[in-house]
Amino acid sequence: MARKFLYVVAILIVLTLAAAFAYRLFGVQLTRFALVPSARFEALPRVETNAYADARLWIARPDQPGNPALWTPEGYRPATDAPAAVFFIHPTSYLDRSRWNAPLDDARANDLAATFLRGQASAFNAAGAIWAPRYRQATFGAFLTSAADAQAALDLAYGDIDAAFSQFVREAGPDRPIILAGHSQGALHLTRLLKDRVAGTPLARRVVAAYVVGWPVSRTTDLPALGLAECRRAEQANCILSWQSFGEPADPSLILDTFDATTGFDGQPRRGTPMICTNPITGNAGDAAPANANLGTLFASDDLKSATIAPGRVPARCADRGVLLIGEPPELGPYVLPGNNYHVFDYSLFWANVRADADRRLKVFAR
């Protein structure tokens, strides 16, 4: 595993070269030209209802040899009898512009997705056994255009997530506590999953917490449709967490302008509405914490084959609109998106705190 371990930096390199670097040098139009597929969307059939009974369609599952979600930095160990079941939806790892959706057998996309699990999903392996599906994710360029093909690509990807979630629920059993988590595109699909499959159902009572990280969630136009409350306090379960990390000085205008042009789950404009901002250091909503309260940031080694935990390096405070400000961040390499956006580090900046948060909410849930 160590030999293949590129941690999250491998995908950061790709994302930066493909997006941030192009954006800074050439602007939005050329970035779109470089990444948005020129071909028309190909309407592929939905996966079969029981497709995810096939273990090969999972990047991580409890019985999988070499499970990347079981990776931990030195000093940490995954639970041997984890009480919860975790459904984790990985972020975009497919950047090919030849098609709108990744093939399920795309080796590069799957390898990068496994890298994400090591750097992100691993934070949950002390609280629960982790299931993470392969899915025909929308390519990165789908997030750079409002074309109908982009929405069709996201709908296709969500169909796979929906089928995988059905299999996860069957395998997790009828009573086991559930943790839901995702990042970026994965968090987008998670919001839809909460709305369609969790809200108003008995399953909602089994959710310890939903970590909708790296995707904006409007408190007023989205949250009421998701079936869970916002996590306002650290000692709270059955709730939703969300944050988006920015170094300072921050310019979140690219995120906010896009967010403000969209419609919420209630059909009303999101413009001007506040976003959920959970402070991952404290577990509370809307507050601030100094760097010395950070239990540990995940840092990759120079050769990208391992990672270590460094506590006390990164503070966090929620700004008025709902972005998470991290002050002047430590050197993490040239992989920061426009606006001082530390999006791709959302989990690794607070890896040890996320781990502690999941454990704490699980204990609250079990009371």
Side-chain angles (χ1 to χ4, degrees), residues 279-331:
N279 188 323
I281 294 179
T282 66
N284 299 323
D287 68 358
N292 61 16
N294 190 323
L295 299 178
T297 298
L298 203 58
F299 284 88
S301 62
D302 290 340
D303 62 8
L304 309 182
K305 292 182 179 179
S306 62
T308 57
I309 287 289
R313 299 288 298 277
V314 180
R317 64 184 177 89
C318 288
D320 292 341
R321 186 69 192 276
V323 297
L324 185 74
L325 301 180
I326 58 172
E328 184 178 348
E331 178 57 49

Side-chain angles (χ1 to χ4, degrees), residues 7-366:
Y7 174 54
V8 79
V9 176
I11 185 64
L12 301 183
I13 293 171
V14 177
L15 285 172
T16 302
L17 291 177
F21 183 71
Y23 177 86
R24 287 167 179 167
L25 290 183
F26 306 112
V28 174
Q29 293 304 318
L30 187 54
T31 302
R32 287 173 176 162
F33 177 78
L35 292 171
V36 175
S38 56
R40 295 298 304 272
F41 170 75
E42 181 181 358
L44 301 171
R46 288 178 61 93
V47 294
E48 297 292 333
T49 304
N50 63 344
Y52 282 88
D54 186 345
R56 292 173 297 180
L57 289 187
W58 296 87
I59 302 173
R61 48 179 292 132
D63 57 356
Q64 183 183 71
N67 185 343
L70 292 180
W71 177 87
T72 52
E74 185 176 355
Y76 295 83
R77 293 290 183 270
T80 55
D81 188 19
V86 180
F87 187 73
F88 185 88
I89 312 172
H90 71 77
T92 308
S93 61
Y94 183 68
L95 296 101
D96 196 321
R97 69 183 298 267
S98 65
R99 61 181 73 193
W100 285 92
N101 291 88
L104 286 170
D105 61 356
D106 187 280
R108 186 181 186 191
N110 289 334
D111 285 347
L112 290 174
T115 295
F116 272 129
L117 297 195
R118 294 185 184 99
Q120 298 180 343
S122 60
F124 299 101
N125 65 27
I130 298 171
W131 281 258
R134 306 186 194 283
Y135 66 103
R136 290 173 294 181
Q137 59 184 284
T139 188
F140 185 71
F143 294 93
L144 301 175
T145 177
S146 59
D149 284 344
Q151 186 58 54
L154 289 167
D155 289 343
L156 177 68
Y158 175 73
D160 288 2
I161 295 299
D162 183 60
F165 185 68
S166 294
Q167 184 66 31
F168 163 77
V169 172
R170 284 191 289 268
E171 295 197 27
D175 303 312
R176 195 172 187 181
I178 290 172
I179 294 173
L180 303 174
H183 184 249
S184 197
Q185 179 174 172
L188 168 62
H189 295 313
L190 179 52
T191 62
R192 189 167 171 183
L193 198 69
L194 286 165
K195 179 177 72 72
D196 293 350
R197 299 293 307 277
V198 175
T201 74
L203 193 61
R205 295 193 294 271
R206 292 173 54 192
V207 176
V208 175
Y211 293 78
V212 185
V213 180
W215 194 264
V217 178
S218 169
R219 281 198 178 109
T220 54
T221 67
D222 294 328
L223 185 62
L226 301 185
L228 301 175
E230 176 185 0
C231 292
R232 301 293 302 176
R233 298 172 289 103
E235 297 289 333
Q236 182 183 352
N238 200 228
C239 56
I240 294 173
L241 303 85
S242 182
W243 65 88
Q244 300 172 89
S245 309
F246 282 81
E248 296 183 74
D251 179 10
S253 58
L254 286 175
I255 300 298
L256 295 178
D257 289 350
T258 301
F259 177 75
D260 283 346
T262 59
T263 300
F265 286 132
D266 66 353
Q268 298 301 309
R270 292 184 173 116
R271 178 173 296 278
T273 63
M275 299 177 294
I276 292 177
C277 182
T278 314
N279 188 323
I281 294 179
T282 66
N284 299 323
D287 68 358
N292 61 16
N294 190 323
L295 299 178
T297 298
L298 203 58
F299 284 88
S301 62
D302 290 340
D303 62 8
L304 309 182
K305 292 182 179 179
S306 62
T308 57
I309 287 289
R313 299 288 298 277
V314 180
R317 64 184 177 89
C318 288
D320 292 341
R321 186 69 192 276
V323 297
L324 185 74
L325 301 180
I326 58 172
E328 184 178 348
E331 178 57 49
L332 294 172
Y335 313 120
V336 180
L337 298 177
N340 224 1
N341 186 349
Y342 279 72
H343 172 75
V344 284
F345 298 97
D346 281 325
Y347 274 98
S348 57
L349 285 164
F350 312 104
W351 188 91
N353 288 91
V354 174
R355 192 175 186 83
D357 187 271
D359 180 67
R360 180 176 60 247
R361 295 189 196 277
L362 182 59
K363 289 176 180 175
V364 171
F365 181 85

